[in-house]
Short mmCIF file of all heavy atoms in Angstrom, two decimals:
data_model
loop_
_atom_site.label_atom_id
_atom_site.label_comp_id
_atom_site.label_asym_id
_atom_site.label_seq_id
_atom_site.Cartn_x
_atom_site.Cartn_y
_atom_site.Cartn_z
N ALA A 19 42.44 -0.02 -81.52
CA ALA A 19 41.45 1.12 -81.41
C ALA A 19 41.80 2.19 -82.48
O ALA A 19 40.77 2.60 -83.10
CB ALA A 19 41.54 1.69 -80.03
N ALA A 20 42.98 2.50 -82.67
CA ALA A 20 43.30 3.66 -83.56
C ALA A 20 43.63 3.25 -85.00
O ALA A 20 43.45 4.13 -85.82
CB ALA A 20 44.55 4.37 -82.94
N VAL A 21 44.11 1.99 -85.16
CA VAL A 21 44.51 1.65 -86.49
C VAL A 21 43.58 0.59 -87.25
O VAL A 21 43.16 0.83 -88.26
CB VAL A 21 46.00 1.27 -86.49
CG1 VAL A 21 46.43 0.72 -87.87
CG2 VAL A 21 46.93 2.29 -86.01
N LEU A 22 43.43 -0.46 -86.50
CA LEU A 22 42.60 -1.55 -87.09
C LEU A 22 41.16 -1.17 -87.22
O LEU A 22 40.44 -1.77 -88.04
CB LEU A 22 42.71 -2.82 -86.27
CG LEU A 22 44.12 -3.43 -86.21
CD1 LEU A 22 44.16 -4.77 -85.45
CD2 LEU A 22 44.68 -3.72 -87.58
N GLN A 23 40.74 -0.26 -86.52
CA GLN A 23 39.29 0.21 -86.61
C GLN A 23 39.14 1.30 -87.59
O GLN A 23 38.03 1.80 -87.85
CB GLN A 23 38.68 0.58 -85.23
CG GLN A 23 38.57 -0.49 -84.29
CD GLN A 23 37.63 -1.57 -84.80
OE1 GLN A 23 36.57 -1.39 -85.36
NE2 GLN A 23 38.11 -2.85 -84.76
N ASN A 24 40.20 1.79 -88.17
CA ASN A 24 40.22 2.87 -89.17
C ASN A 24 39.46 2.29 -90.47
O ASN A 24 39.68 1.20 -90.84
CB ASN A 24 41.54 3.30 -89.55
CG ASN A 24 41.67 4.26 -90.69
OD1 ASN A 24 41.61 3.79 -91.85
ND2 ASN A 24 41.73 5.50 -90.42
N GLU A 25 38.54 3.08 -90.96
CA GLU A 25 37.73 2.55 -92.12
C GLU A 25 38.61 2.12 -93.32
O GLU A 25 38.29 1.12 -93.89
CB GLU A 25 36.71 3.63 -92.54
CG GLU A 25 35.58 3.77 -91.56
CD GLU A 25 34.86 2.45 -91.27
OE1 GLU A 25 34.53 1.74 -92.24
OE2 GLU A 25 34.52 2.22 -90.11
N GLY A 26 39.59 2.90 -93.62
CA GLY A 26 40.42 2.51 -94.78
C GLY A 26 41.20 1.19 -94.57
O GLY A 26 41.26 0.39 -95.45
N VAL A 27 41.72 1.03 -93.37
CA VAL A 27 42.47 -0.19 -92.92
C VAL A 27 41.44 -1.36 -92.94
O VAL A 27 41.75 -2.47 -93.47
CB VAL A 27 43.17 -0.02 -91.57
CG1 VAL A 27 43.63 -1.33 -91.05
CG2 VAL A 27 44.22 0.99 -91.59
N LYS A 28 40.28 -1.19 -92.38
CA LYS A 28 39.29 -2.30 -92.29
C LYS A 28 38.91 -2.69 -93.65
O LYS A 28 38.78 -3.93 -94.01
CB LYS A 28 38.04 -1.78 -91.51
CG LYS A 28 38.18 -1.81 -89.93
CD LYS A 28 37.06 -1.23 -89.19
CE LYS A 28 35.78 -1.87 -89.48
NZ LYS A 28 34.69 -1.26 -88.63
N LYS A 29 38.69 -1.75 -94.55
CA LYS A 29 38.34 -2.02 -95.94
C LYS A 29 39.37 -2.93 -96.68
O LYS A 29 38.99 -3.87 -97.35
CB LYS A 29 38.11 -0.75 -96.70
CG LYS A 29 37.60 -0.91 -98.18
CD LYS A 29 37.38 0.44 -98.79
CE LYS A 29 36.87 0.19 -100.22
NZ LYS A 29 36.74 1.41 -100.90
N VAL A 30 40.60 -2.55 -96.40
CA VAL A 30 41.68 -3.38 -97.12
C VAL A 30 41.67 -4.80 -96.49
O VAL A 30 41.75 -5.78 -97.26
CB VAL A 30 43.10 -2.73 -96.94
CG1 VAL A 30 44.17 -3.67 -97.42
CG2 VAL A 30 43.17 -1.39 -97.63
N ILE A 31 41.67 -4.91 -95.20
CA ILE A 31 41.67 -6.23 -94.53
C ILE A 31 40.49 -7.07 -95.02
O ILE A 31 40.68 -8.31 -95.28
CB ILE A 31 41.84 -6.07 -93.05
CG1 ILE A 31 43.20 -5.52 -92.61
CG2 ILE A 31 41.65 -7.41 -92.36
CD1 ILE A 31 43.35 -5.09 -91.19
N GLU A 32 39.32 -6.43 -94.99
CA GLU A 32 38.14 -7.24 -95.29
C GLU A 32 37.91 -7.47 -96.83
O GLU A 32 37.03 -8.14 -97.18
CB GLU A 32 36.86 -6.45 -94.76
CG GLU A 32 36.89 -6.47 -93.30
CD GLU A 32 35.84 -5.53 -92.63
OE1 GLU A 32 35.12 -4.80 -93.42
OE2 GLU A 32 35.71 -5.41 -91.45
N SER A 33 38.83 -7.01 -97.65
CA SER A 33 38.71 -7.21 -99.06
C SER A 33 39.28 -8.51 -99.55
O SER A 33 39.54 -8.66 -100.72
CB SER A 33 39.41 -6.00 -99.85
OG SER A 33 40.84 -6.10 -99.66
N GLY A 34 39.48 -9.45 -98.66
CA GLY A 34 39.92 -10.75 -99.08
C GLY A 34 41.17 -11.30 -98.34
O GLY A 34 41.64 -12.34 -98.63
N MET A 35 41.63 -10.62 -97.30
CA MET A 35 42.74 -11.15 -96.52
C MET A 35 42.23 -12.11 -95.54
O MET A 35 41.09 -11.89 -94.93
CB MET A 35 43.50 -9.97 -95.79
CG MET A 35 44.39 -9.12 -96.67
SD MET A 35 45.35 -7.95 -95.62
CE MET A 35 46.18 -7.26 -97.00
N VAL A 36 42.99 -13.10 -95.26
CA VAL A 36 42.69 -14.01 -94.10
C VAL A 36 43.46 -13.38 -92.91
O VAL A 36 44.63 -13.13 -92.92
CB VAL A 36 43.18 -15.38 -94.36
CG1 VAL A 36 43.13 -16.28 -93.16
CG2 VAL A 36 42.54 -16.01 -95.62
N PHE A 37 42.65 -13.02 -91.85
CA PHE A 37 43.23 -12.37 -90.65
C PHE A 37 43.34 -13.36 -89.59
O PHE A 37 42.33 -14.00 -89.18
CB PHE A 37 42.24 -11.19 -90.24
CG PHE A 37 42.82 -10.39 -89.09
CD1 PHE A 37 43.68 -9.34 -89.37
CD2 PHE A 37 42.44 -10.61 -87.82
CE1 PHE A 37 44.23 -8.60 -88.34
CE2 PHE A 37 42.89 -9.85 -86.80
CZ PHE A 37 43.77 -8.87 -87.05
N ILE A 38 44.50 -13.57 -89.03
CA ILE A 38 44.78 -14.60 -88.00
C ILE A 38 45.39 -13.82 -86.81
O ILE A 38 46.49 -13.22 -87.00
CB ILE A 38 45.79 -15.60 -88.54
CG1 ILE A 38 45.26 -16.26 -89.83
CG2 ILE A 38 46.10 -16.72 -87.51
CD1 ILE A 38 46.30 -17.03 -90.63
N SER A 39 44.80 -13.97 -85.66
CA SER A 39 45.29 -13.35 -84.41
C SER A 39 45.85 -14.39 -83.60
O SER A 39 45.11 -15.28 -83.17
CB SER A 39 44.13 -12.50 -83.80
OG SER A 39 44.62 -11.90 -82.63
N LEU A 40 47.03 -14.19 -83.08
CA LEU A 40 47.74 -15.20 -82.16
C LEU A 40 48.18 -14.44 -80.98
O LEU A 40 49.11 -13.61 -81.05
CB LEU A 40 48.97 -15.81 -82.92
CG LEU A 40 48.52 -16.59 -84.23
CD1 LEU A 40 49.82 -17.12 -84.92
CD2 LEU A 40 47.56 -17.77 -83.92
N ALA A 41 47.66 -14.81 -79.83
CA ALA A 41 48.16 -14.19 -78.54
C ALA A 41 49.25 -14.91 -77.97
O ALA A 41 49.18 -16.24 -77.77
CB ALA A 41 46.96 -14.06 -77.52
N CYS A 42 50.42 -14.27 -77.77
CA CYS A 42 51.58 -14.86 -77.24
C CYS A 42 51.57 -15.06 -75.76
O CYS A 42 52.52 -15.68 -75.23
CB CYS A 42 52.89 -14.14 -77.71
SG CYS A 42 53.06 -14.20 -79.51
N ASP A 43 50.59 -14.56 -75.09
CA ASP A 43 50.48 -14.72 -73.68
C ASP A 43 49.16 -15.47 -73.35
O ASP A 43 48.66 -15.41 -72.19
CB ASP A 43 50.55 -13.46 -72.91
CG ASP A 43 49.50 -12.43 -73.31
OD1 ASP A 43 48.73 -12.68 -74.24
OD2 ASP A 43 49.44 -11.35 -72.67
N ASP A 44 48.60 -16.20 -74.24
CA ASP A 44 47.38 -17.05 -74.07
C ASP A 44 47.73 -18.17 -73.07
O ASP A 44 48.53 -18.98 -73.35
CB ASP A 44 46.86 -17.60 -75.44
CG ASP A 44 45.56 -18.34 -75.33
OD1 ASP A 44 45.23 -18.89 -74.24
OD2 ASP A 44 44.92 -18.32 -76.35
N ARG A 45 47.05 -18.14 -71.91
CA ARG A 45 47.43 -19.13 -70.84
C ARG A 45 46.65 -20.50 -70.89
O ARG A 45 46.78 -21.30 -70.03
CB ARG A 45 47.23 -18.43 -69.49
CG ARG A 45 47.83 -17.19 -69.24
CD ARG A 45 49.40 -17.12 -69.60
NE ARG A 45 50.28 -18.16 -69.13
CZ ARG A 45 51.43 -18.43 -69.65
NH1 ARG A 45 51.90 -17.75 -70.65
NH2 ARG A 45 52.10 -19.44 -69.27
N ARG A 46 45.81 -20.69 -71.97
CA ARG A 46 45.15 -21.93 -72.06
C ARG A 46 46.14 -23.07 -72.21
O ARG A 46 47.21 -22.83 -73.00
CB ARG A 46 44.28 -21.93 -73.24
CG ARG A 46 42.99 -21.02 -73.10
CD ARG A 46 42.07 -21.03 -74.33
NE ARG A 46 42.91 -20.40 -75.46
CZ ARG A 46 42.63 -20.60 -76.70
NH1 ARG A 46 41.64 -21.40 -77.10
NH2 ARG A 46 43.30 -19.98 -77.64
N PRO A 47 45.99 -24.21 -71.64
CA PRO A 47 46.93 -25.20 -71.74
C PRO A 47 47.06 -25.74 -73.17
O PRO A 47 46.07 -25.85 -73.82
CB PRO A 47 46.36 -26.36 -70.85
CG PRO A 47 45.26 -25.76 -70.06
CD PRO A 47 44.80 -24.57 -70.79
N ALA A 48 48.31 -26.06 -73.50
CA ALA A 48 48.46 -26.71 -74.83
C ALA A 48 48.03 -28.16 -74.88
O ALA A 48 47.93 -28.74 -73.77
CB ALA A 48 50.01 -26.65 -75.21
N LYS A 49 47.59 -28.65 -75.90
CA LYS A 49 47.17 -30.12 -76.01
C LYS A 49 48.46 -30.91 -75.65
O LYS A 49 49.54 -30.57 -75.90
CB LYS A 49 46.81 -30.46 -77.40
CG LYS A 49 45.51 -29.76 -77.93
CD LYS A 49 45.22 -30.08 -79.30
CE LYS A 49 44.05 -29.17 -79.78
NZ LYS A 49 43.87 -29.50 -81.18
N PRO A 50 48.25 -32.09 -74.98
CA PRO A 50 49.33 -32.95 -74.71
C PRO A 50 50.28 -33.26 -75.84
O PRO A 50 51.46 -33.24 -75.74
CB PRO A 50 48.67 -34.25 -74.14
CG PRO A 50 47.32 -33.77 -73.58
CD PRO A 50 46.91 -32.64 -74.62
N SER A 51 49.75 -33.40 -77.04
CA SER A 51 50.56 -33.68 -78.21
C SER A 51 51.45 -32.48 -78.62
O SER A 51 52.38 -32.72 -79.37
CB SER A 51 49.65 -34.20 -79.38
OG SER A 51 48.82 -33.07 -79.70
N GLU A 52 51.06 -31.32 -78.19
CA GLU A 52 51.82 -30.11 -78.55
C GLU A 52 52.91 -29.69 -77.52
O GLU A 52 53.67 -28.79 -77.74
CB GLU A 52 50.84 -28.94 -78.79
CG GLU A 52 49.89 -29.05 -79.90
CD GLU A 52 48.81 -28.09 -79.91
OE1 GLU A 52 48.30 -27.67 -78.80
OE2 GLU A 52 48.46 -27.62 -80.98
N ARG A 53 52.91 -30.39 -76.41
CA ARG A 53 53.79 -30.04 -75.27
C ARG A 53 55.19 -30.67 -75.60
O ARG A 53 55.27 -31.94 -75.97
CB ARG A 53 53.32 -30.61 -74.02
CG ARG A 53 52.11 -29.77 -73.59
CD ARG A 53 51.51 -30.42 -72.23
NE ARG A 53 50.30 -29.65 -71.95
CZ ARG A 53 50.00 -29.13 -70.79
NH1 ARG A 53 50.87 -29.30 -69.78
NH2 ARG A 53 48.89 -28.49 -70.61
N LYS A 54 56.17 -29.87 -75.60
CA LYS A 54 57.50 -30.30 -75.90
C LYS A 54 58.56 -29.27 -75.38
O LYS A 54 58.12 -28.24 -74.96
CB LYS A 54 57.73 -30.51 -77.41
CG LYS A 54 57.53 -29.17 -78.11
CD LYS A 54 57.76 -29.33 -79.63
CE LYS A 54 57.61 -27.97 -80.25
NZ LYS A 54 57.95 -27.88 -81.65
N TYR A 55 59.81 -29.51 -75.47
CA TYR A 55 60.86 -28.57 -75.20
C TYR A 55 61.03 -27.80 -76.48
O TYR A 55 61.21 -28.34 -77.56
CB TYR A 55 62.10 -29.23 -74.75
CG TYR A 55 63.16 -28.21 -74.50
CD1 TYR A 55 63.18 -27.53 -73.24
CD2 TYR A 55 64.18 -27.94 -75.32
CE1 TYR A 55 64.05 -26.51 -72.94
CE2 TYR A 55 65.13 -26.97 -75.10
CZ TYR A 55 65.08 -26.27 -73.90
OH TYR A 55 66.06 -25.31 -73.64
N SER A 56 61.04 -26.42 -76.39
CA SER A 56 61.28 -25.52 -77.44
C SER A 56 62.71 -25.06 -77.39
O SER A 56 63.11 -24.40 -76.47
CB SER A 56 60.37 -24.31 -77.39
OG SER A 56 60.73 -23.42 -78.31
N LYS A 57 63.46 -25.42 -78.37
CA LYS A 57 64.85 -24.87 -78.52
C LYS A 57 64.83 -23.38 -78.74
O LYS A 57 65.71 -22.60 -78.33
CB LYS A 57 65.62 -25.58 -79.66
CG LYS A 57 65.93 -27.04 -79.44
CD LYS A 57 66.63 -27.70 -80.55
CE LYS A 57 66.80 -29.17 -80.32
NZ LYS A 57 67.42 -29.76 -81.55
N VAL A 58 63.81 -22.91 -79.49
CA VAL A 58 63.74 -21.47 -79.76
C VAL A 58 63.40 -20.68 -78.53
O VAL A 58 64.08 -19.62 -78.27
CB VAL A 58 62.51 -21.24 -80.78
CG1 VAL A 58 62.30 -19.80 -80.94
CG2 VAL A 58 62.90 -21.88 -82.12
N LEU A 59 62.42 -21.14 -77.65
CA LEU A 59 62.16 -20.44 -76.44
C LEU A 59 63.06 -20.85 -75.33
O LEU A 59 63.07 -20.16 -74.26
CB LEU A 59 60.75 -20.71 -76.07
CG LEU A 59 59.64 -20.24 -77.05
CD1 LEU A 59 58.22 -20.72 -76.55
CD2 LEU A 59 59.67 -18.79 -77.28
N LYS A 60 63.77 -21.98 -75.45
CA LYS A 60 64.63 -22.50 -74.36
C LYS A 60 63.84 -22.75 -73.13
O LYS A 60 64.27 -22.53 -71.96
CB LYS A 60 65.82 -21.54 -74.10
CG LYS A 60 66.71 -21.43 -75.30
CD LYS A 60 67.92 -20.50 -74.99
CE LYS A 60 68.86 -20.42 -76.16
NZ LYS A 60 68.91 -19.18 -76.89
N SER A 61 62.61 -23.27 -73.38
CA SER A 61 61.78 -23.74 -72.28
C SER A 61 60.75 -24.65 -72.77
O SER A 61 60.58 -24.85 -73.98
CB SER A 61 61.08 -22.49 -71.60
OG SER A 61 60.24 -21.83 -72.52
N ASN A 62 60.01 -25.20 -71.82
CA ASN A 62 58.88 -26.19 -72.25
C ASN A 62 57.73 -25.42 -72.78
O ASN A 62 57.34 -24.35 -72.26
CB ASN A 62 58.48 -27.10 -71.13
CG ASN A 62 59.55 -28.03 -70.71
OD1 ASN A 62 60.17 -28.59 -71.60
ND2 ASN A 62 59.65 -28.38 -69.44
#
Side-chain angles (χ1 to χ4, degrees):
V21 177
L22 296 182
Q23 292 303 312
N24 173 277
E25 287 303 318
V27 170
K28 283 173 58 173
K29 184 177 178 183
V30 173
I31 292 171
E32 292 171 356
S33 70
M35 285 189 178
V36 175
F37 185 84
I38 303 160
S39 179
L40 301 173
C42 293
D43 60 353
D44 185 331
R45 304 314 311 160
R46 290 177 294 156
K49 295 177 187 172
S51 62
E52 296 171 320
R53 292 175 185 228
K54 63 178 182 172
Y55 180 79
S56 169
K57 292 179 185 176
V58 173
L59 298 177
K60 297 182 176 109
S61 65
N62 289 325

